[in-house]
Structure formats: structure tokens, C-alpha cells
């Protein structure tokens, strides 16, 4: 299930088109309890974008599958320039919604604010499903002071996982801070994974 879908509908294989943008400047958004994801770009021909410039966006750790999917079969973008993002379970970029085809195209960019991803056993995954393409930017070549923490403390002590399935993934650390409780690791060697530091 999902709490919020931007573009497409993972419960309806025919509803694979659509586009949606959310701009959060203040206030609090919390995904529902149970098996719920926030899915950005949730259909094969869909586009979704979530802009967080202020306020709080949270997905709980409630004992069920939940978290955030960016590029969930379609094209998805998450841009954080301020505020607080707390994703207590998986944060998957270039992933899949339901059973709607292969992995999507996802870009997550953090230029400001603070982000905490994962709890015990949960982590960011870049390139989560077959043929998924994922990019995570922390800061940009123009700068930024975002603070991103991956706080998983078991399940192999993952910090950031590249390529749970074949695909392509890049992590660009240009400015700001990336804090991990474990390794930045490649899990599947049949794809392409890149970790780029300070591209200025």
C-alpha cells in the first residue's frame, strides 16, 4: 500500500501515466501506519517530484514495510533544500512500485536541511530493482550545506547500499555532510556503481 503517490497508481496496472508535484514549505507530513510508502513517480510513464524546503516529512518505523521510493517504476525526483526529513525505514531510489515493470529512474538531491535515513536494518538503496537508475546528490557543484545521516546499525552495518539488483547508481558528495553507521557498499556487481567526491 501507499500513503502518497505522485504520478501513477501502484494498485492499478492501467493507471501508469500521470504527473504530480508537491511543494512542502512548512508543517508536518507523516505517512500512515501499516504497509505504506511515499512513492514519487509511481507508474511506468509517470513523473513525480517532492520539494521539501521547510517543515517535517516523516515515515515511521512501525514494523511493516514503509519508507520512501523515488523513481518507483517511473521518473521521480526528491529535492530537499530545507526542513527535516526522517525516513525510518528504506529509502529506495530507482526502484519499483507493486509489480509494475522494472525499476524506475530516480534522483534525490539534498542541498539544505537535515535528513536521517533508516533504523536498525534499514538503509538507503541506490538502484533497488532490475534496470533501475539512481542518483543521490548531497550538495551540488554550486554548493549546499545539507546533512544526511544513514543510521542503520545492523543487517551488515550498511551505510549506503548500491545495486540491490542490476542497474546503474551514483552517489555524488559535493558539499554538506554524509554520515553513515556502516559501509558504502556494492551488493550486485552486474551493474554500474559510482561514488563521486567533490566534482568542483
Amino acid at each position: 500500500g501507499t500513503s502518497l503517490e505522485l504520478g501513477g497508481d501502484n494498485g492499478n496496472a492501467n493507471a501508469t501515466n500521470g504527473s504530480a508535484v508537491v511543494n512542502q514549505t512548512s508543517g508536518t507530513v507523516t505517512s500512515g501506519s501499516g504497509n505504506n510508502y511515499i512513492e514519487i513517480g509511481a507508474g511506468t510513464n509517470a513523473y513525480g517530484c517532492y520539494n521539501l524546503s521547510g517543515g517535517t516529512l516523516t515515515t515511521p518505523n512501525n514494523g511493516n514495510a514503509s519508507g520512501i521510493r523515488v523513481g518507483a517504476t517511473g521518473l521521480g525526483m526528491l529535492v530537499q533544500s530545507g526542513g527535516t526529513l526522517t525516513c525510518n525505514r528504506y529509502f529506495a531510489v530507482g526502484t519499483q512500485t507493486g509489480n509494475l515493470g522494472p525499476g524506475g529512474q530516480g534522483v534525490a538531491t539534498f542541498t539544505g536541511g537535515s535528513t536521517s535515513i533508516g533504523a536498525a536494518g534499514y538503509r538507503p538503496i541506490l538502484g533497488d530493482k532490475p534496470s533501475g537508475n539512481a542518483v543521490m546528490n548531497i550538495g551540488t557543484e554550486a554548493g549546499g550545506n545539507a546533512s544526511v545521516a544513514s543510521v542503520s546499525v545492523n543487517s551488515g552495518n550498511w551505510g549506503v547500499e548500491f545495486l540491490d539488483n542490476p542497474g546503474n547508481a551514483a552517489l555524488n558528495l559535493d558539499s554538506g555532510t554524509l554520515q553513515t553507521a556502516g559501509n558504502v557498499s556494492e551488493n550486485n556487481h552486474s551493474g554500474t556503481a559510482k561514488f563521486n567526491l567533490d566534482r568542483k
Side-chain angles (χ1 to χ4, degrees), residues 112-136:
S114 62
T115 302
S116 176
I117 298 172
Y122 300 96
R123 57 200 175 273
I125 303 175
L126 307 182
D128 181 39
K129 296 297 180 183
S131 75
N133 292 307
V135 176
M136 178 183 283

Side-chain angles (χ1 to χ4, degrees), residues 17-34:
N17 300 301
S19 60
V21 176
V22 170
N23 297 309
Q24 183 181 351
T25 60
S26 62
T28 300
V29 176
T30 303
S31 66
S33 61

Side-chain angles (χ1 to χ4, degrees), residues 52 57-59 68 80 83-91 110 113-119 122-124 147-152 179:
L52 176 64
L57 174 62
T58 303
T59 66
I68 296 175
Q80 182 182 8
T84 301
L85 170 60
T86 303
C87 178
N88 281 302
R89 291 174 75 84
Y90 288 116
F91 183 88
F110 304 91
S114 62
T115 302
S116 176
I117 298 172
Y122 300 96
R123 57 200 175 273
S147 173
V148 178
S150 172
V151 297
S152 172
Q179 175 184 346

Side-chain angles (χ1 to χ4, degrees), residues 1-117:
T2 52
S3 290
L4 176 64
E5 288 177 328
L6 304 183
D9 180 1
N10 79 337
N12 182 351
N14 295 315
T16 59
N17 300 301
S19 60
V21 176
V22 170
N23 297 309
Q24 183 181 351
T25 60
S26 62
T28 300
V29 176
T30 303
S31 66
S33 61
N35 184 8
N36 285 301
Y37 279 84
I38 293 173
E39 296 188 333
I40 304 170
T44 53
N45 298 306
Y47 168 75
C49 180
Y50 199 111
N51 294 307
L52 176 64
S53 60
T56 301
L57 174 62
T58 303
T59 66
N61 184 357
N62 52 28
N64 294 288
S66 63
I68 296 175
R69 293 171 172 155
V70 182
T73 309
L75 174 62
M77 297 181 66
L78 182 143
V79 180
Q80 182 182 8
S81 58
T84 301
L85 170 60
T86 303
C87 178
N88 281 302
R89 291 174 75 84
Y90 288 116
F91 183 88
V93 184
T95 182
Q96 183 188 80
T97 177
N99 295 310
L100 293 181
Q105 321 298 309
V107 178
T109 299
F110 304 91
T111 61
S114 62
T115 302
S116 176
I117 298 172

Side-chain angles (χ1 to χ4, degrees), residues 111 139-144 174-175 199-200:
T111 61
T140 68
E141 294 180 67
D174 288 315
S175 60
R199 297 174 297 166
K200 299 181 187 63

Side-chain angles (χ1 to χ4, degrees), residues 130-177:
S131 75
N133 292 307
V135 176
M136 178 183 283
N137 301 307
I138 301 174
T140 68
E141 294 180 67
N145 60 357
S147 173
V148 178
S150 172
V151 297
S152 172
V153 292
N154 61 17
S155 186
N157 285 330
W158 292 101
V160 178
E161 179 184 349
F162 282 110
L163 303 176
D164 198 45
N165 282 280
N168 299 288
L171 173 59
N172 300 313
L173 178 58
D174 288 315
S175 60
T177 302

